[in-house]
Amino acid sequence: MSFELLLEKTMNHQKYKDRETLEIKNIEERYKIEENFLNMLSSGDYSKAMSAYNALCSMKLDGRNMDSYQDAKYLAIVLGTLCRKTLQHRNKVHPYYLNSVSKEMAMDINNTETTDDIRNVSRNFIKKYCLLAKNHSLHQYSEVVHKSISYIEIHYADELSLSILASNLHVTKNYLSSVFKKQLGKTVTEFIHEVRMDKAIFLLNSTKLPINDISIVCGYEDSNYFCRIFKSRYKISPRQYRNNLFNK
């Protein structure tokens, strides 16, 4: 083999090695950014999660489609899966909430037409996943309290009591009452009212449902009792609350 051919072969080999080294570094960097993104997501820090997401968007996905829209769509789908699984395993967010957000995100992605559309959808759902991390993380609680909270949040419109909850979880009332109070600093009944009142506030803010209907939707058959609980918590009646909204 001539010196020129040997030199060319050596140079080509070096170029290949250089490309391979660069690709490895890019992959390592992308995985590092992804891990940082998931850490910020799990903490519920939307601002820092968005910074990591923007860093991901700036990276070239080698070996993917040449079409930037398809690349953005691929990244959004992967991102949604990572968000969902991270909050399920790290934060113990109930699948009910994760599935709801995941389905909505998939539908919105399918309705996009441009790369900017995709990224706007991603930003919107990163915010929603961060809110799930803040409001529905149960990793700090024991399994029985974790299940209790999830059951109440999902079945708030049904008949609920300490007895019903203990029966569904196959534990005694005394045990559930004790461990719930110890870990949350409130009774099961207080927490049931708290969840129902949060739903009532949401409905008063976002719908024109009559007060009686809101009462039933929130799990109170007796609207007068609902109003008493609401007033004891917010110092005004549901009707006064809604009137104040209209006045504003």
Side-chain angles (χ1 to χ4, degrees), residues 134-228:
K134 278 187 172 182
N135 299 327
H136 295 286
S137 290
L138 302 174
H139 61 280
Q140 71 269 41
Y141 302 122
S142 64
E143 185 177 3
V144 67
V145 172
H146 174 183
K147 289 182 176 179
S148 298
I149 293 171
S150 294
Y151 189 91
I152 292 168
E153 289 183 333
I154 293 168
H155 298 278
Y156 67 90
D158 302 333
E159 184 180 356
L160 279 176
S161 67
L162 175 62
S163 298
I164 291 172
L165 200 57
S167 176
N168 274 281
L169 296 175
H170 308 292
V171 295
T172 66
K173 291 191 299 181
N174 287 341
Y175 172 74
L176 179 58
S177 176
S178 174
V179 72
F180 199 96
K181 176 74 173 180
K182 182 178 180 180
Q183 293 185 31
L184 269 80
K186 62 191 74 174
T187 67
V188 169
T189 300
E190 287 170 341
F191 185 74
I192 291 171
H193 287 314
E194 185 176 294
V195 170
R196 286 173 167 173
M197 289 298 107
D198 286 346
K199 304 298 180 183
I201 287 291
F202 172 77
L203 292 172
L204 287 167
N205 277 282
S206 60
T207 74
K208 294 182 179 180
L209 283 173
I211 303 298
N212 287 349
D213 290 352
I214 290 177
S215 169
I216 293 171
V217 169
C218 292
Y220 297 99
E221 292 294 330
D222 184 343
S223 62
N224 290 327
Y225 180 57
F226 163 71
C227 291
R228 286 201 302 273

Side-chain angles (χ1 to χ4, degrees), residues 39-65:
N39 288 336
M40 296 304 102
L41 182 85
S42 182
S43 71
D45 192 325
Y46 174 67
S47 177
K48 290 182 179 178
M50 278 306 307
S51 294
Y53 169 73
N54 290 332
L56 275 177
C57 290
S58 69
M59 299 191 74
K60 174 68 177 174
L61 299 178
D62 293 331
R64 305 299 201 276
N65 296 289

Side-chain angles (χ1 to χ4, degrees), residues 232-244:
S232 69
R233 182 177 177 83
Y234 300 109
K235 310 307 177 187
I236 58 174
S237 70
R239 196 170 304 281
Q240 289 171 320
Y241 180 89
R242 175 169 275 173
N243 288 339
N244 287 345

Side-chain angles (χ1 to χ4, degrees), residues 42 83-89 91-93 98 129 132-133:
S42 182
C83 291
R84 176 167 54 83
K85 300 308 290 183
T86 296
L87 296 191
Q88 180 185 7
H89 294 295
N91 297 67
K92 304 300 181 186
V93 175
L98 295 172
Y129 278 117
L132 286 184

Side-chain angles (χ1 to χ4, degrees), residues 81-135:
T81 302
L82 287 173
C83 291
R84 176 167 54 83
K85 300 308 290 183
T86 296
L87 296 191
Q88 180 185 7
H89 294 295
R90 290 193 195 179
N91 297 67
K92 304 300 181 186
V93 175
H94 195 280
Y96 171 82
Y97 299 107
L98 295 172
N99 185 61
S100 176
V101 174
S102 179
K103 282 171 60 179
E104 189 181 352
M105 184 176 184
M107 291 172 63
D108 284 4
I109 288 173
N110 284 334
N111 290 330
T112 58
E113 296 180 354
T114 68
T115 301
D116 285 341
D117 290 343
I118 288 283
R119 290 184 175 170
N120 285 335
V121 168
S122 296
R123 292 184 184 98
N124 182 37
F125 281 91
I126 289 170
K127 186 172 186 177
K128 291 189 177 186
Y129 278 117
C130 283
L131 287 172
L132 286 184
K134 278 187 172 182
N135 299 327

